[in-house]
Amino acid sequence: MKPMRATEAEQPEIYATVRRELPAIHRAAQKMAKHLRGLSDVSQKQAITELTAAWIMAIYPDSLDLAISLSDAMRDQTDIDLQQAFETRRRKLSN
């Protein structure tokens, strides 16, 4: 099941929170990525999935359905982030 994507008009508080915290989000992601550098690509993937699963289980310890739903939503957001990154790179290369 593909998660529903909320627009900024539908969920303004979520968009405002992420926009406000974006610099801290980027710093935290960079710090976490530094710890993965010594691992192989396969091991990096495993470490990321273990961290993600542990985080999801902390949020929804008693509901597999909600845990899977959050996992699906995170996967969908990853797809969005990748599409935006590739579009940004394409625009930079064409200029």
Side-chain angles (χ1 to χ4, degrees), residues 68 70-80:
I68 296 293
L70 180 54
S71 175
D72 289 343
M74 292 175 69
R75 196 170 14 263
D76 191 53
Q77 185 61 48
T78 300
D79 292 347
I80 292 168

Side-chain angles (χ1 to χ4, degrees), residues 20 26 30 32 35 53 93:
R20 181 179 65 250
H26 291 316
Q30 290 299 322
M32 286 185 271
H35 294 287
L93 292 174

Side-chain angles (χ1 to χ4, degrees), residues 10-83:
E10 295 167 332
Q11 297 284 324
E13 65 282 351
I14 291 173
Y15 279 78
T17 298
V18 170
R19 195 172 288 117
R20 181 179 65 250
E21 295 179 1
L22 207 51
I25 292 168
H26 291 316
R27 283 192 303 276
Q30 290 299 322
K31 277 185 173 181
M32 286 185 271
K34 285 181 183 178
H35 294 287
L36 299 174
R37 288 191 184 143
L39 300 174
S40 68
D41 58 342
V42 174
S43 295
Q44 287 178 8
K45 182 181 124 191
Q46 183 62 34
I48 292 166
T49 58
E50 286 183 22
L51 173 65
T52 303
W55 181 75
I56 291 171
M57 288 295 296
I59 295 170
Y60 296 120
D62 301 320
S63 176
L64 178 59
D65 289 340
L66 290 174
I68 296 293
S69 178
L70 180 54
S71 175
D72 289 343
M74 292 175 69
R75 196 170 14 263
D76 191 53
Q77 185 61 48
T78 300
D79 292 347
I80 292 168
D81 292 347
L82 286 170
Q83 289 167 352

